[in-house]
């Protein structure tokens, strides 16, 4: 092996430096990339030795073609030995907290995943990260992965996840992979490659000088330079191929002299495969059979299994193993191949039909000795279908284990193969449902087709209804709401009065789907909602209650009726974990009904639950919904923190939610006075090109209108607002809390001189806000009415707006009304009286982080002749949203590690935020943090200003 490391000094120095860095807590990733035989394995072996010399706990794993469908196979190779080396108490400690989410992967799990959809995969990644971090806290860890191009998708997903969070964790991750390998998970390897923590080493072919040295070592010091040059040309400097060539030359007693240089090309194998095949042909049949059996069994085969598969007695197998070792093919002790390329060459010698039969025999052999079914299933995947019902059972059980461990894509592969065995009709439907569910969890559109096939094949009405419910939920996740409603309605018509409980579930889901898309609000749907509203006191189903609540909130005053229904839905057991969409509907009804602080509490609990479960999708949805609440409260810092959380996990946002999230980000930037940045965020989405449906694009249009008006493109802004108004009317939305489009349009029309239409719009919005009894919305409408009306009547309306907003937690809207009132008073010559509302507006805007409004209030106050104090960022105002969130969690008694686990960040990130916080608050330690925050709050701040 030392010979294979010629001309690798630079790579070795880099690896050594990164391992030393990892030892000090910096964390490092090395990707050794190159063609087969270039020396990746030798470099990884040397990295393993260097890590051990530095005192690291070392764990290795190797991908194999056979095991690429073994969910978290590489991860288990890496982590299980490290955990097994711990005492029981130490193991419990390492698997505590967020690390416990990895238990289904590292321990036996037979049940199907309990968490919905993709939460299992996300929780698994989060849990595995903290298992690794907990292990590294005890002792620096070196993880070495060879042949990652043959790694299973869940494991590669974790390696990329770890690489992006390795900073600050004493872990050295070294990975070897071939580029552009057929059937490799290229996208996942690309994610690993793209990580900022990854250093890439690409070993070059050996130079002529290095080849000459190796020729002299193998064939004698007197080797002629021309002979060495011929060897270099024949192998293109590939170390493995050169080794094969030199072994062949030595075996055939070719002298390394100039006259034999021409013979090198004739002797040199064009590939390792040819060289191995040549050596195999020289061996006895028993050795060939044992080599093939070992190749079929894959990595680390048991001698007894290989002997039985080859049909050899223990004595014959031992003799055959010795012959294979002497031929440089196998390690005689472990039956491991000397190199994966050698194993591939032996495997390729088996004709395809014999190969499939051998794998099926291997599956039976492993099952007979009690091997785990996911290992047995790997061999079934490599065999041809034969209508074997036993195989179907093994593959289905292995799929359930893979799904439970967070590998729904692997589960889908197993279930596809089970279908190919052509199971009886009695099993086919349930198999299709399992396949469709696994594919849906893996975000594979094929899941919809397979659930649809199951629905067509099933004859039992009750079972069909259950499948329809599953299919509708999958369709809803992909925002195919019209089709979901159609599926549910068909199931309801079929089921009739057969099963009232199931009918109620279908009905609740159908209404929930339709209420989410106003284009589906048919006359029959509206009539049904009206009926349900009239009997609302007798409703008990939480999904149904939440649906009626949001429909009521949008159209039926007063808002208190909707709030009561939403509270009943939540009290009836509606949870974010089990029913994300229905829960968001009920919480949305609370927000539209004016219960902003209650809605914030509800989303606080939902987000905390998502963090505990390690669900990035639930965290993304919960954070985005809470951001909308924070915006209405005027808590721009808190909204920004939530939106940054969403941005970090943008791939978890369903397409339907993207426009609203972009609109919210733009709104925060606009309030901060960053008009160009706000416009740029909206520029990330082309409504026409993306074909986003009208319901999800309406909020985006309203925000775009506001930006356009501020840019001076008033007519374009008006056009967008008119479209928003048309859609709201078409959908029967009367509550201005969903979108105060009338007041926004009125203010834009005021700028163009169209006063009559503007007055009509604002007065209508005032009437609706009074009917719904919503102080925030009434304040917004009265403020707009005051600005459009002008004069003394306008001043009265602005005063009324301020008075209404005094009873609302919406501090930014109050700041806006105060500023407009003060500005209007100043313009009418009442400069002294204008100062009080302007000072109050300035202070509120400053605390909300509304820079644009703050600066305007400041200018107006100066225009009154006042000399306002200079506003500076200090104390809590100086903290970023992330710093404040970390500080608040620290005051709740959470450790840095617990905060990091909850926020899906590294412990180093938490430490950095706390260090910045101590400096900005002028304190020296964590013990002073709670007092400092309390002092700031007492001085006039509160969470709403976060």
């Amino acid at each position: 092996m030392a010979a294979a490391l010629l001309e690798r000094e630079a790579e070795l120095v880099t690896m050594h430096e990164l391992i030393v860095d990892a030892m000090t807590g910096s964390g490092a990733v090395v990707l050794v990339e190159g063609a087969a035989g270039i020396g990746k394995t030798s470099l990884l072996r040397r990295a393993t030795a260097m890590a051990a010399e530095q005192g690291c706990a070392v764990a290795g794993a190797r991908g194999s073609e056979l095991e690429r469908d073994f969910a978290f196979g590489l991860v288990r190779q890496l982590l299980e030995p490290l955990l097994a080396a711990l005492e029981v108490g130490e193991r419990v400690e390492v698997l505590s907290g967020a690390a416990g989410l990895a238990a289904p992967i590292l321990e036996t799990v037979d049940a199907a995943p309990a968490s919905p959809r993709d939460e299992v995969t996300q929780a698994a990644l989060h849990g595995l990260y903290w298992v690794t971090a907990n292990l590294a806290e005890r002792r620096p860890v070196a993880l070495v992965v060879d042949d990652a191009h043959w790694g299973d998708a869940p494991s590669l997903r974790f390696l990329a996840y770890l690489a992006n969070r390795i900073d600050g964790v004493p872990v050295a991750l070294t990975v070897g992979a071939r580029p552009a390998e057929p059937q490799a998970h290229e996208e996942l390897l690309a994610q690993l490659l793209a990580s900022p923590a990854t250093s890439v080493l690409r070993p070059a072919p050996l130079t002529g000088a290095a080849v000459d040295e190796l020729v002299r070592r193998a064939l004698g010091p007197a080797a002629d330079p021309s002979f060495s040059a011929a060897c270099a040309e024949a192998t293109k400097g590939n170390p493995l191929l050169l080794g094969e060539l030199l072994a062949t030359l030595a075996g055939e007693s070719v002298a390394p002299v100039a006259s034999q240089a021409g013979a090198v090309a004739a002797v040199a194998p064009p590939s390792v495969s040819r060289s191995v095949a040549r050596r195999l042909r020289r061996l006895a049949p028993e050795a060939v059979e044992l080599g093939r059996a070992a190749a079929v069994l894959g990595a680390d085969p048991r001698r007894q299994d290989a002997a039985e598969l080859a049909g050899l007695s223990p004595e014959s197998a031992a003799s055959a193993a010795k012959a294979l070792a002497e031929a440089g093919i196998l390690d005689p002790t472990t039956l491991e191949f000397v190199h994966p390329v050698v194993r591939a060459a032996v495997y390729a010698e088996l004709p395809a039909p014999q190969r499939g039969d051998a794998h099926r025999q291997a599956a039976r052999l492993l099952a007979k000795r009690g091997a785990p079914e996911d290992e047995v299933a790997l061999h079934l995947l490599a065999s041809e279908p034969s209508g074997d019902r036993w195989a179907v059972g093994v593959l289905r059980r292995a799929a359930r284990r893979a799904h439970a461990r967070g590998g729904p894509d692997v589960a889908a592969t197993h279930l596809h193969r089970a279908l190919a065995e052509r199971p009886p009709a009695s099993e086919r439907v349930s198999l299709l449902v399992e396949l469709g569910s696994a594919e849906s969890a893996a975000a594979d559109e094929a899941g919809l087709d397979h659930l649809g096939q199951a629905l067509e094949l099933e004859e039992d009405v009750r079972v069909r209804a259950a499948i329809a419910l599953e299919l509708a939920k999958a369709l809803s996740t992909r925002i195919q709401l019209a089709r979901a409603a159609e599926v549910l309605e068909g199931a309801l018509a079929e089921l009739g009065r057969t099963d009232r409980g199931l009918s109620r579930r279908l009905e609740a889901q159908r209404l929930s789907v339709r209420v989410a898309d106003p284009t589906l609000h048919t006359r029959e749907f509206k009539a049904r909602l009206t009926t349900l509203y009239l009997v609302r006191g007798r409703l008990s189903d939480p999904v149904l209650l939440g649906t009626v609540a949001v429909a009521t909130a949008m159209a039926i005053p007063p808002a208190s009726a909707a709030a009561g229904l939403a509270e009943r839905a939540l009290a009836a057991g509606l949870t974010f974990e089990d029913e994300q969409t229905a829960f968001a509907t009920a919480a949305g009804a609370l927000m539209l009904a004016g219960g902003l602080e209650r809605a914030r509490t509800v989303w606080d609990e939902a987000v905390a639950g998502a963090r505990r479960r390690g669900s990035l999708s639930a965290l993304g949805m919960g954070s985005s919904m809470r951001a909308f609440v924070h915006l209405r409260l005027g808590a721009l810092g808190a909204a920004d923190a939530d939106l940054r959380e969403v941005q970090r996990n943008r791939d978890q946002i369903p397409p339907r939610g993207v426009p609203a999230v972009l609109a919210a980000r733009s709104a925060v930037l606009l309030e901060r006075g960053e008009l160009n940045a706000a416009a740029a965020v909206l520029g990330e989405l082309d409504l026409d090109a993306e074909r986003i449906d009208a319901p999800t694009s309406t909020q985006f249009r309203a925000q775009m209108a506001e930006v356009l008006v501020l840019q001076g493109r008033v007519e374009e802004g008006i056009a967008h607002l008119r479209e928003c108004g048309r859609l709201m009317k078409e959908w029967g939305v009367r509550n201005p809390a969903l979108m105060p489009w009338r007041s926004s349009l009125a203010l834009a029309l005021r700028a163009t001189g169209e006063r009559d239409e503007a007055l009509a719009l604002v007065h209508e919005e005032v009437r609706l806000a009074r009917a719904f009894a919503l102080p925030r919305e009434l304040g917004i409408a009265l403020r707009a009415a005051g600005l459009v009306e002008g004069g003394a009547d306008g001043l009265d309306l602005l005063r009324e707006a301020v008075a209404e907003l005094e009873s609302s937690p919406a501090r930014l809207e109050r700041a806006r009304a105060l500023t407009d009132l003060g500005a209007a008073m100043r313009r009418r010559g009442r400069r002294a009286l204008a100062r009080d509302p302007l000072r109050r507006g300035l202070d509120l805007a400053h605390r909300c982080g509304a820079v644009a409004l703050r600066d305007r209030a400041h200018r107006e106050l100066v225009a009154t002749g006042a000399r306002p104090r200079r506003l500076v960022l200090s104390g809590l105002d100086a903290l970023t949203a992330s710093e404040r969130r970390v500080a608040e969690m620290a005051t709740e008694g959470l450790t840095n590690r617990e905060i990091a686990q909850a926020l899906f960040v590294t412990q180093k990130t938490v430490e950095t935020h706390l260090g910045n916080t101590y400096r900005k608050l002028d304190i020296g330690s964590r013990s002073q943090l709670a007092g400092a925050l309390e002092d700031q709050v007492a001085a006039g701040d509160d969470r709403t200003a976060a």
Side-chain angles (χ1 to χ4, degrees):
M1 282 302 149
L5 290 179
L6 283 176
E7 299 185 332
R8 298 294 183 252
E9 292 81 7
E11 287 87 349
L12 292 172
V13 167
T14 299
M15 289 195 303
H16 183 267
E17 289 175 347
L18 291 172
I19 288 170
V20 171
D21 286 345
M23 287 282 296
T24 62
S26 297
V29 183
V30 180
L31 177 62
V32 184
E33 190 177 59
I38 201 66
K40 299 184 298 296
T41 297
S42 297
L43 280 169
L44 264 59
R45 285 175 179 159
R46 186 60 65 87
T48 300
M50 287 191 292
E53 290 167 4
Q54 292 295 324
C56 291
V58 182
R62 173 168 241 155
S64 75
E65 291 174 283
L66 180 64
E67 296 184 3
R68 69 176 75 200
D69 291 311
F70 191 156
F72 288 107
L74 289 178
V75 165
R76 293 177 69 187
Q77 288 183 57
L78 290 170
L79 298 183
E80 286 182 345
L82 295 176
L83 290 169
L86 301 175
E87 298 291 337
V88 174
E90 293 176 318
R91 181 184 173 91
V92 169
E93 188 177 335
V94 166
L95 290 172
S96 64
L101 296 168
I105 300 161
L106 302 172
E107 298 175 0
T108 301
V109 174
D110 295 319
S115 298
R117 305 289 174 195
D118 54 353
E119 284 197 6
V120 177
T121 302
Q122 297 161 3
L125 298 179
H126 189 50
L128 288 169
Y129 170 80
W130 283 104
V131 169
T132 308
N134 290 346
L135 286 167
E137 187 177 34
R138 311 176 76 82
R139 179 183 175 191
V141 170
L143 304 176
V144 183
V145 182
D146 202 358
D147 291 329
H149 49 274
W150 286 331
D152 62 281
S155 289
L156 294 178
R157 203 169 285 124
F158 167 66
L159 295 181
Y161 186 92
L162 173 62
N164 286 327
R165 294 160 178 81
I166 206 167
D167 185 29
V169 184
V171 172
L173 172 62
T174 309
V175 179
R178 298 180 202 165
E181 180 72 11
Q183 299 182 17
H185 299 287
E186 291 288 348
E187 183 181 342
L188 295 173
L189 287 169
Q191 289 178 22
L192 182 63
L193 180 66
S195 170
T198 300
S199 298
V200 183
L201 302 180
R202 294 187 174 93
L206 298 176
T207 64
V211 171
D212 182 59
E213 182 175 340
L214 293 175
V215 170
R216 293 174 186 278
R217 290 183 188 180
L219 302 179
D224 190 272
S226 62
F227 185 90
S228 296
C231 291
E233 176 62 27
T235 61
K236 305 303 181 188
N238 183 289
L240 182 63
L241 194 53
L242 177 63
E244 292 292 320
L245 171 61
L246 295 177
T248 301
L249 292 169
E252 297 187 5
S253 302
V254 176
V257 296
S259 60
Q260 292 293 322
V264 169
V267 174
S271 67
V272 174
S273 298
R274 291 281 187 88
S275 175
V276 173
R278 180 183 296 180
R279 277 181 275 160
L280 277 176
R281 285 194 292 271
R282 295 175 182 160
L283 301 177
E286 292 83 1
V288 174
E289 289 302 316
L290 184 67
R292 288 176 172 176
V296 165
L297 288 169
D300 195 20
R302 293 172 78 246
R303 180 185 291 273
Q304 183 180 340
D305 292 340
E308 187 172 343
L309 187 59
L312 301 176
S313 67
E315 294 77 15
S316 297
S319 177
K322 183 179 179 182
L324 287 164
E326 290 172 350
I329 293 173
L330 282 181
D331 181 309
T333 306
T334 64
L335 292 191
E336 276 279 343
F337 285 89
V338 296
H339 195 281
V341 173
V342 175
R343 183 256 173 193
V346 175
Y347 187 74
E349 283 290 295
L350 265 173
Q354 291 182 36
R355 204 181 300 158
D357 290 344
H359 278 294
R360 188 170 287 276
Q361 290 175 38
R364 291 281 185 178
L365 187 156
L366 292 174
K368 184 176 68 174
R369 74 163 172 82
E373 285 189 305
D374 38 12
E375 292 182 24
V376 176
L378 294 175
H379 290 282
L380 293 173
L381 290 173
S383 67
E384 292 299 315
S386 62
D388 188 340
R389 196 165 181 178
W390 169 80
V392 173
V394 171
L395 288 162
R396 289 182 74 175
R397 289 189 292 274
R400 291 188 195 112
R401 287 168 63 86
H403 199 168
R405 285 177 171 149
D409 42 0
V410 172
T413 299
H414 284 67
L415 294 166
H416 266 294
R417 179 63 183 76
L419 269 181
E421 291 286 350
R422 298 190 177 279
S426 59
E427 288 187 55
R428 187 170 178 81
V429 171
S430 60
L431 181 51
L432 282 167
V433 171
E434 289 174 16
L435 174 57
S437 298
E439 288 171 326
S440 294
D444 186 344
E445 291 288 334
L448 302 178
D449 294 334
H450 288 117
L451 288 170
Q453 290 175 33
L455 188 60
E456 289 178 11
L457 291 173
E458 181 57 55
E459 296 179 356
D460 184 278
V461 175
R462 287 186 178 85
V463 178
R464 281 177 58 80
I467 295 171
L469 196 58
E470 179 75 13
L471 175 57
K473 288 182 178 180
L475 286 164
S476 298
T477 301
R478 283 157 183 75
I479 322 304
Q480 297 185 34
L481 300 180
R483 187 180 164 199
E486 183 183 340
V487 167
L488 290 164
E489 282 155 9
L492 273 167
E494 283 185 354
L495 191 61
R497 297 177 179 272
T498 306
D499 187 325
R500 289 186 178 277
L502 189 52
S503 289
R504 281 194 293 270
R505 289 172 60 200
L506 289 167
E507 168 76 349
Q509 195 67 34
R510 178 182 79 97
L511 292 173
S512 178
V513 165
R514 281 194 174 274
V515 82
D517 187 346
T519 64
L520 302 177
H521 291 188
T522 61
R523 182 177 299 175
E524 178 274 334
F525 168 77
K526 291 176 181 177
R528 178 61 176 150
L529 282 178
T530 300
T531 301
L532 290 170
Y533 178 75
L534 293 173
V535 299
R536 60 190 181 277
R538 299 201 300 271
L539 297 179
S540 59
D541 182 90
V543 174
L544 206 56
L545 280 165
T547 301
V548 177
V550 79
T552 302
M554 289 191 291
I556 304 175
S560 57
L565 288 166
E567 290 288 9
R568 285 174 55 196
L570 296 169
L574 191 59
T575 67
F576 193 45
E577 181 176 0
D578 297 328
E579 289 281 358
Q580 282 190 13
T581 302
F583 181 92
T585 298
L590 278 177
M591 182 177 73
L592 296 179
L596 294 178
E597 291 172 311
R598 171 63 177 143
R600 180 174 63 186
T601 299
V602 166
W603 282 117
D604 282 347
E605 294 169 356
V607 167
R611 293 191 195 282
R612 285 193 301 272
R613 299 194 306 278
S615 171
L616 291 178
S617 61
L619 180 61
M621 181 179 181
S623 296
S624 63
M625 296 301 294
R626 188 171 64 177
F628 302 147
V629 177
H630 282 145
L631 270 175
R632 289 167 182 261
L633 286 166
L636 299 180
D640 184 48
D642 277 333
L643 292 169
R644 287 178 185 277
E645 185 88 65
V646 175
Q647 182 66 18
R648 279 197 297 270
N649 303 296
R650 184 166 175 176
D651 59 336
Q652 301 295 333
I653 309 173
R656 201 167 193 260
V658 170
V661 169
L662 292 178
R665 285 177 54 205
S666 174
V668 170
L669 290 166
L670 205 59
E671 295 293 354
R672 289 179 171 172
E674 300 176 39
L675 177 58
N676 291 338
V681 166
L682 296 178
E684 294 178 21
L685 181 69
D686 185 328
L687 288 178
D688 297 323
E690 296 288 339
R691 297 182 181 177
I692 304 296
D693 60 2
T696 63
S697 67
T698 309
Q699 187 175 349
F700 185 89
R701 284 188 183 280
Q703 180 62 25
M704 183 180 290
E706 187 170 354
V707 168
L708 289 168
V709 169
L710 289 173
Q711 288 177 328
R713 299 158 63 183
V714 180
E715 292 296 341
E716 292 177 65
I718 287 173
H720 278 295
L721 287 168
R722 289 194 188 281
E723 176 64 8
C724 290
R726 184 188 70 78
L727 291 170
M728 292 290 111
K729 286 183 175 181
E730 183 181 304
W731 299 331
V733 177
R734 300 172 65 215
N735 186 349
L738 184 62
M739 179 183 297
W741 64 271
R742 293 175 182 84
S743 58
S744 296
L745 178 55
L747 292 174
L749 290 170
R750 169 180 172 244
T752 63
E754 299 178 54
R755 187 171 182 273
D756 290 345
E757 183 183 358
L759 281 172
L761 286 166
V762 291
H763 287 316
E764 183 180 4
E765 188 165 298
V766 167
R767 180 181 61 78
L768 288 170
R770 289 193 193 281
F772 278 90
L774 295 169
R776 174 182 178 272
E777 283 62 37
L778 181 55
I780 290 172
L782 287 167
R783 170 182 159 267
L787 293 174
V788 174
E789 187 74 52
D793 290 342
L795 273 177
D796 289 340
L797 288 168
L798 287 170
R799 288 191 186 95
E800 189 180 354
V802 170
E804 285 293 336
L805 288 166
E806 290 292 346
S807 63
S808 166
R811 299 198 316 165
L812 181 55
E813 294 304 332
R814 188 157 80 248
R816 225 185 299 277
L818 283 164
T819 301
D820 282 329
L821 173 61
M825 295 173 77
R826 180 193 65 77
R827 286 193 298 273
R828 291 184 64 81
R830 303 177 185 178
R831 296 197 303 171
L833 292 176
R835 290 169 187 164
D836 179 64
L838 286 172
R839 283 196 179 97
R840 290 166 60 202
L842 172 65
D843 185 61
L844 274 174
H846 179 58
R847 295 186 181 284
C848 289
V851 176
L853 181 61
R854 181 201 69 189
D855 290 349
R856 179 172 166 249
H858 189 272
R859 289 194 301 272
E860 288 287 349
L861 194 53
V862 169
T864 68
R867 294 183 178 180
R869 62 183 174 84
R870 182 172 174 268
L871 295 172
V872 295
L873 284 177
S874 61
L876 286 183
D877 293 328
L879 299 184
T880 67
S882 297
E883 287 166 356
R884 177 154 182 176
R885 181 159 290 175
V886 167
E888 288 174 343
M889 295 177 78
T891 63
E892 293 168 8
L894 297 178
T895 66
N896 289 2
R897 179 170 293 269
E898 289 168 337
I899 296 170
Q901 291 175 357
L903 296 180
F904 292 82
V905 297
T906 67
Q907 191 166 326
K908 182 177 180 181
T909 299
V910 173
E911 291 164 358
T912 299
H913 284 330
L914 284 175
N916 291 338
T917 299
Y918 299 158
R919 176 175 52 79
K920 292 176 181 180
L921 296 181
D922 195 24
I923 59 177
S925 69
R926 192 189 196 96
S927 62
Q928 299 172 280
L929 187 56
L933 291 178
E934 288 173 6
D935 289 344
Q936 292 284 335
V937 170
D941 202 356
D942 61 29
R943 181 186 164 179
T944 311

